[in-house]
């Protein structure tokens, strides 16, 4: 599918990859500046000798008056003889004459030969940290080159126009310009890398991607505020966004999700909703908890069933014992709700998973499981089932057939399009009723004005103030949502 790139998309790429674009050129410029400071501390001098290249015709007819052909042949001869200056023969003669402790390759790297455009002049420039040696090498190169030409052509066609003099000042290298140039190149390279990574990234990143690729409606977008989530997890006292601050952007987003969910339900009570995702680390389990809390605040009696018997986590969220749970009910054949546990949140109960099982497919597909769901649906307004990820295992396909609806959680930038499409196809094969997609971990900035202004204003300040107050209060054993 052809990807459309507009100005907004360009801004998103720059905002997402700004670290590469910014720090790559800064880092390269810093390294180059440091290296140039240390390795260019010793001055380098340059001495230049200039040669005039004549034409054999001019020499043989020097007494015959003006010769236009000889004059025009001069520049051509300069171009022809230019490679001879740096030939091994010439350079070896220079090394022998000056008795230098260099090899031919080292001498060759110090010599620069260039012919002046549209003239018969050749410039021999030599760089060295010793200005006297630079001049000696340049003059020796000119002399030995002339000797080699006489040996080859049997005619003296080379004249030294200007002998090299000892330079007084070292070569001036504009380090700032060099560093800026390298930094600019690195900046352009960073831009290229950023757009290449963006092109290679085939993950679902926003609402538009979900609607165009998965062809499903988005019923919720949950923002992700790194600073707040970090504080919330580290505090260990209030684990959930909607509990910690009722006016937070996340709480507002869950209220919107709750409204959309209740609107999609055919009846206002007694509904079973399964929450799944394509793979792990997309936030479906935390999504189940926060959605349950939001429903409790709306006056619903809610039960969370941790049906992820392979990798359960709800007991950790609520710090509950997980010795029996759903596994105990299914293995004993009892469809009662005696293992359901009340949480600190009035109106929210949890049925933990029980011990981890390597292959729970038979238990989840049993009549006892169907009876458990039936009993739970009769006892609670809403039953939220925290299911495993859809791909790779058959657990979700079994559970999705027994519930009233499925919420498909997509972690922003966490799953590729192909995997998400495959997960959708698996749900459609068992005729699961997909109520919609919830985008999780959405960047707050990308939501823009869609969030309630009250929830955004002063959010960080209120959080810090609330956490500070909590240090002086003993947390209650139970509290309402």
């Amino acid at each position: 599918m052809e990807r459309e790139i507009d100005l907004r998309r360009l801004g998103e790429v720059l905002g997402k990859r700004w670290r590469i674009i910014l720090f790559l050129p800064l880092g390269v410029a810093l390294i180059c500046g440091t290296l140039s400071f240390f390795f260019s501390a010793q001055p380098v001098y340059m001495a230049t000798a200039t040669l005039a290249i004549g034409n054999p015709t001019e020499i043989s007819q020097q007494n015959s008056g003006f010769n236009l052909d000889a004059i025009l042949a001069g520049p051509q001869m300069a171009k022809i003889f230019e490679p001879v200056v740096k030939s091994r023969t010439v350079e070896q003669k220079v090394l022998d004459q000056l008795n230098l402790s260099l090899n031919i390759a080292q001498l060759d790297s110090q010599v620069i030969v260039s012919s002046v455009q549209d003239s018969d002049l050749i410039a021999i420039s030599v760089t060295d940290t010793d200005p006297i040696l630079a001049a000696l090498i340049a003059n020796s190169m000119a002399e030995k080159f002339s000797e080699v030409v006489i040996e080859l052509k049997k005619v003296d066609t080379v004249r030294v126009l200007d002998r090299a003099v000892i330079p007084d000042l070292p070569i001036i290298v504009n380090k700032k310009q060099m560093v800026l140039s390298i930094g600019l190149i690195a900046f352009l390279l960073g831009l290229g890398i950023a757009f290449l990574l963006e092109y290679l990234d085939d993950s679902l990143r926003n609402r538009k991607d979900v609607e165009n690729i998965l062809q499903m409606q988005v019923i919720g977008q949950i923002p992700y505020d790194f600073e707040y989530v970090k504080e919330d997890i580290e505090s260990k006292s209030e684990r959930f966004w909607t509990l910690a601050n009722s006016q937070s952007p996340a709480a507002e987003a869950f209220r919107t999700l709750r409204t959309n969910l209740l609107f999609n339900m055919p009846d206002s009570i007694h509904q079973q909703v399964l929450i799944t995702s394509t793979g792990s680390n997309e936030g479906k389990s935390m999504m189940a908890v926060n959605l349950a809390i939001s429903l409790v605040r709306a006056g619903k009696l809610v039960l969370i069933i941790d049906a992820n018997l392979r990798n359960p986590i709800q007991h950790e969220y609520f710090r509950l014992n997980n010795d029996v749970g759903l596994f105990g009910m299914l293995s004993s054949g009892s469809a009662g709700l005696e293992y359901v546990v009340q949480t600190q949140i009035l109106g929210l109960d949890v049925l933990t998973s029980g011990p981890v099982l390597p292959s729970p497919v038979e238990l989840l597909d049993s009549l006892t499981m169907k009876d458990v769901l039936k009993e739970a649906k009769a006892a609670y307004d809403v039953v939220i089932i925290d299911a495993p990820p859809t791909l790779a295992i058959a657990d979700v396909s079994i559970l999705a057939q027994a519930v009233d609806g499925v919420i498909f959680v997509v972690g922003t930038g966490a799953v590729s399009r192909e995997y998400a499409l495959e997960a959708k196809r698996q749900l459609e094969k068992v005729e699961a009723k997909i109520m919609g997609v919830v985008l999780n971990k959405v960047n707050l900035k990308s939501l823009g004005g869609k969030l309630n202004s009250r929830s955004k204003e002063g959010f960080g300040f209120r959080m810090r103030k609330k956490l500070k107050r909590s240090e002086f209060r003993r947390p209650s054993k139970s509290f309402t949502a």
Side-chain angles (χ1 to χ4, degrees):
M1 179 179 293
E2 186 177 355
R3 300 183 184 179
E4 299 178 359
I5 300 180
D6 51 17
L7 292 179
R8 180 178 297 180
R9 185 62 186 152
L10 177 62
E12 291 177 359
V13 174
L14 296 179
K16 183 179 180 181
R17 311 288 182 181
W18 67 269
R19 292 178 179 83
I20 296 176
I21 300 172
L22 177 63
F23 291 118
L24 179 61
L26 287 179
V28 171
L30 180 61
I31 293 173
C32 291
T34 304
L35 292 177
S36 66
F37 175 79
F38 285 105
F39 292 99
S40 299
Q42 190 173 13
V44 177
Y45 297 86
M46 177 181 286
T48 303
T50 305
L51 305 175
I53 308 298
N55 186 31
T57 306
E58 181 183 8
I59 302 300
S60 62
Q61 300 178 0
Q62 54 183 329
N63 296 321
S64 63
F66 179 78
N67 191 324
L68 180 61
D69 293 336
I71 294 175
L72 295 177
Q76 299 177 2
M77 296 301 297
K79 281 289 185 183
I80 293 173
F81 281 118
E82 183 180 338
V84 181
V85 180
K86 294 186 68 173
S87 64
R88 294 177 61 88
T89 302
V90 174
E91 291 178 341
Q92 186 61 55
K93 287 179 177 291
V94 172
L95 292 176
D96 295 340
Q97 182 187 32
L98 300 179
N99 194 24
L100 299 177
S101 59
L102 301 173
N103 56 41
I104 292 179
Q106 291 172 332
L107 176 60
D108 190 77
S109 65
Q110 294 181 231
V111 179
I112 302 173
V113 179
S114 59
S115 58
V116 181
Q117 187 176 5
D118 298 329
S119 72
D120 59 353
L121 303 180
I122 293 179
I124 303 175
S125 300
V126 178
T127 58
D128 199 277
T129 56
D130 185 349
I132 299 176
L133 183 59
L136 288 175
I137 295 176
N139 290 325
S140 180
M141 291 285 293
E143 294 172 4
K144 297 306 175 184
F145 167 68
S146 179
E147 293 177 4
V148 170
V149 171
I150 293 175
E151 292 176 4
L152 292 175
K153 301 297 183 180
K154 307 302 181 183
V155 178
D156 185 5
T157 61
V158 179
R159 298 288 184 270
V160 178
L161 181 63
D162 291 316
R163 289 183 62 83
V165 296
I166 300 173
D168 297 326
L169 299 174
I171 301 173
I172 299 175
V173 179
N174 193 335
K175 296 181 181 179
K176 291 183 179 179
Q177 184 177 3
M178 180 188 68
V179 172
L180 289 175
S181 300
I182 294 176
L184 178 60
I185 295 174
F187 174 75
L188 296 176
L189 179 62
L191 279 177
I193 293 175
F195 281 99
L196 177 62
L197 292 175
E198 193 68 16
Y199 178 78
L200 296 177
D201 182 11
D202 67 339
S203 62
L204 298 171
R205 293 162 290 192
N206 50 49
R207 185 188 195 110
K208 184 178 179 181
D209 286 348
V210 172
E211 292 175 345
N212 291 342
I213 304 301
L214 298 184
Q215 297 294 313
M216 293 192 294
Q217 66 172 340
V218 176
I219 60 175
Q221 297 185 84
I222 310 303
Y224 179 82
D225 189 310
F226 176 79
E227 181 180 356
Y228 172 66
V229 172
K230 182 179 179 182
E231 290 178 354
D232 184 40
I233 293 177
E234 289 179 352
S235 68
K236 303 297 184 181
S237 59
E238 293 179 338
R239 295 284 302 213
F240 314 119
W241 292 345
T242 50
L243 289 180
N245 186 0
S246 61
Q247 301 302 325
S248 69
E252 182 66 26
F254 275 107
R255 281 192 286 269
T256 301
L257 172 60
R258 177 189 66 197
T259 301
N260 293 336
L261 181 64
L262 294 177
F263 178 80
N264 288 330
M265 290 180 177
D267 300 318
S268 58
I269 59 174
H270 304 306
Q271 295 295 313
Q272 294 177 335
V273 179
L274 182 142
I275 297 182
T276 185
S277 60
T278 301
S280 58
N281 300 321
E282 294 187 66
K284 65 173 182 59
S285 296
M286 186 65 78
M287 178 81 63
V289 174
N290 283 286
L291 177 59
I293 295 171
S294 185
L295 288 167
V296 169
R297 284 180 172 169
K300 303 295 183 181
L301 183 61
V302 182
L303 171 67
I304 298 177
I305 298 178
D306 193 346
N308 190 353
L309 301 182
R310 302 172 189 263
N311 187 26
I313 196 173
Q314 292 295 337
H315 65 284
E316 295 183 7
Y317 286 160
F318 293 96
R319 299 170 186 171
L320 300 174
N321 185 284
N322 196 35
D323 293 338
V324 185
L326 179 62
F327 167 74
M329 299 173 64
L330 297 179
S331 58
S332 64
S334 172
L337 302 180
E338 60 270 21
Y339 296 122
V340 171
V341 180
Q342 293 182 349
T343 67
Q344 309 99 310
I345 305 169
L346 300 180
L348 176 59
D349 296 343
V350 174
L351 177 58
T352 62
S353 67
V356 177
L357 296 178
S359 181
V361 177
E362 290 77 11
L363 290 177
L364 294 176
D365 197 25
S366 63
L367 291 176
T368 305
M369 183 63 191
K370 293 181 175 61
D371 291 338
V372 169
L373 294 176
K374 183 177 180 181
E375 290 288 335
K377 184 174 182 178
Y380 292 87
D381 297 330
V382 180
V383 178
I384 295 179
I385 302 170
D386 181 13
T390 302
L391 289 184
I393 54 178
D395 303 14
V396 178
S397 298
I398 295 172
L399 294 171
Q401 302 176 65
V403 298
D404 299 310
V406 175
I407 292 179
F408 192 64
V409 178
V410 172
T412 303
V415 60
S416 70
R417 304 177 182 189
E418 291 300 323
Y419 287 157
L421 282 170
E422 180 59 28
K424 177 191 175 185
R425 284 192 286 266
Q426 288 193 20
L427 293 173
E428 290 176 340
K429 285 180 182 178
V430 296
E431 299 181 354
K433 181 185 177 183
I434 304 176
M435 306 176 72
V437 173
V438 177
L439 269 174
N440 196 24
K441 303 178 182 178
V442 179
N443 192 312
L444 278 170
K445 294 180 180 179
S446 67
L447 294 178
K450 298 178 182 179
L451 289 175
N452 186 284
S453 59
R454 180 186 175 191
S455 67
K456 293 196 295 179
E457 184 180 0
F459 169 63
F461 172 77
R462 291 196 304 272
M463 268 305 304
R464 289 190 292 271
K465 187 175 180 181
K466 183 175 181 65
L467 290 173
K468 186 175 182 180
R469 287 201 307 266
S470 67
E471 295 176 1
F472 301 98
R473 295 183 179 180
R474 271 185 95 168
S476 59
K477 293 184 179 180
S478 64
F479 48 89
T480 60

